[in-house]
Amino acid sequence: MTEQVAKDQPGEGRLTHAPSDHPPVPRAKVGVVLANLGTPDATDYWSMRRYLSEFLSDKRVVDYANWKWQPLLQLIILTKRPFSSGNAYKSIWNNERNESPLLTTTRAQTEKMTERLKALYGDDVEVDFCMRYGNPSTESVLNRLKEKGCEKIVFFPLYPQYGSPTTATANDQAFRTLMKMKWQPSIRTVPAYFDHPAYTDALANSVREAYAGFTSRPTKLVASYHGVPERYLLEGDPYHCQCQKTTRLLREKLGLPKEEVDTAFQSQFGPEKWVGPQTVDHVAELAKQGHKHIAILSPAFSSDCVETLEEIKEEIHDSFMEAGGETFSYIPCLNDRDDHIDALLAVVNNELSGWLPRT
């Protein structure tokens, strides 16, 4: 990166062409932002209500007309759901840090990514993370990086498969922040990486390691993705297709036959038809078919969260066991595994091409 300041202190200095009394300015850098879905600040009613209101008011998540949706959301759904969602979060809450597991893991991923990128690019890079809903907010993080001198920013939504309710809304929020800036940094948004060899290698490694520790071999591996309304697929959202391809690539890397690996979708809500099969129903059907031991993983989630630690390990687990299953094995998300960080680093390095020379 071209040196733009004469340093007075680490991280700041005078513009080389400026007069001696010019105030210090940050040294020009490139920022890398890891963006995840979000987290409530706490599990109490009002914290959950604020979080759920922000989440469920997003047009990318629920695209019904406001006149129809907002009265239902504010007057009915948000009078009850904060209690049930709060209880779900309480069951998985990181009490030591007083935060959700998603926040804990995203921070750990960021710390490891910082180490990797600093080794490659030195002080020319600043790494941070943000949440689409809740804190740290996208706006606060992008503004902080701008103040640190980041004239270029790689914005990385941590969703392997592109979805309008996930990747697109994260990017939307970044663009809304830029709209408020007098001097915008250049920005690159990271595309979906569902078929990146390093990502699918990490998925396959996690399955192999889990299988090696089982006392019996599962007769079915279920890849459970967060669901979307079927209408999204028909309107051009590629998420469903990318999920199917992720499962196929994983199965091929593991060398498993087609009949041993299934794709299913979880977290359905609302009255309209969603893509299927629904995980909670599918695992019950597998038990009824005689599958006594199944393994399940969540390739759409970069970090374990309420949908995996509570929904899969409790609700979906119970559905399988009550239908006659005997052993239900959950394979954790990739979280801050080293091979996962290596995969994310490979994706980021591609986007940094031409912006940063390696040290």
Side-chain angles (χ1 to χ4, degrees), residues 161-341:
Q161 300 80 18
Y162 176 97
S164 57
T166 52
T167 312
T169 191
N171 289 338
D172 288 348
Q173 194 72 353
F175 299 145
R176 276 190 286 267
T177 299
L178 264 62
M179 289 172 65
K180 301 177 184 179
M181 293 181 176
K182 294 295 185 185
W183 184 2
Q184 297 175 332
S186 299
I187 192 165
R188 291 176 177 172
T189 58
V190 176
Y193 55 100
F194 65 99
D195 57 353
H196 195 289
Y199 162 69
T200 52
D201 280 345
L203 278 181
N205 289 341
S206 72
V207 174
R208 292 190 192 99
E209 291 169 13
Y211 272 44
F214 295 155
T215 56
S216 64
R217 181 180 175 82
T219 56
K220 186 75 76 169
L221 175 66
V222 179
S224 180
Y225 300 83
H226 197 291
V228 293
E230 188 177 89
R231 172 171 53 86
Y232 285 26
L233 169 63
L234 301 177
E235 291 173 349
D237 190 310
Y239 176 76
H240 179 266
C241 297
Q242 292 182 359
C243 292
Q244 297 287 353
K245 186 171 182 180
T246 298
T247 301
R248 177 176 63 80
L249 293 173
L250 172 62
R251 178 179 57 77
E252 291 173 352
K253 284 184 180 291
L254 293 171
L256 297 176
K258 288 184 179 180
E259 61 271 14
E260 197 169 321
V261 184
D262 291 351
T263 297
F265 297 87
Q266 64 187 83
S267 308
Q268 177 177 338
F269 71 93
E272 65 180 306
K273 184 179 180 181
W274 282 44
V275 295
Q278 293 301 307
T279 307
V280 68
D281 299 327
H282 185 64
V283 298
E285 183 60 30
L286 290 176
K288 294 173 184 176
Q289 292 173 1
H291 293 277
K292 299 302 182 182
H293 184 187
I294 67 169
I296 187 167
L297 77 164
S298 300
F301 297 96
S302 62
S303 308
D304 275 307
C305 54
V306 70
E307 285 87 354
T308 62
L309 298 176
E310 194 276 335
E311 184 179 0
I312 288 182
K313 294 185 73 175
E314 295 183 23
E315 178 186 353
I316 293 171
H317 163 271
D318 292 349
S319 177
F320 177 71
M321 301 301 285
E322 290 169 4
E326 296 178 358
T327 306
F328 181 96
S329 299
Y330 174 64
I331 300 173
C333 292
L334 295 178
N335 295 320
D336 63 338
R337 290 172 54 104
D338 286 340
D339 52 3
H340 186 211
I341 302 303

Side-chain angles (χ1 to χ4, degrees), residues 75-88:
L75 299 177
I76 299 177
I77 295 174
L78 292 181
T79 61
K80 298 180 180 180
R81 188 159 178 174
F83 291 109
S84 59
S85 294
N87 288 333

Side-chain angles (χ1 to χ4, degrees), residues 89-142:
Y89 271 95
K90 284 177 185 176
S91 71
I92 65 166
W93 201 249
N94 182 341
N95 292 310
E96 182 179 348
R97 286 179 173 263
N98 192 26
E99 63 187 24
S100 73
L102 177 68
L103 181 55
T104 303
T105 301
T106 307
R107 183 187 296 108
Q109 292 169 332
T110 304
E111 290 170 352
K112 287 191 174 183
M113 183 66 75
T114 299
E115 293 176 0
R116 303 282 209 285
L117 289 171
K118 291 288 186 183
L120 292 173
Y121 304 109
D123 293 334
D124 285 337
V125 65
E126 287 282 342
V127 187
D128 211 333
F129 72 94
C130 70
M131 299 293 172
R132 169 60 183 90
Y133 315 103
N135 296 302
S137 69
T138 302
E139 182 173 2
S140 67
V141 171
L142 291 181

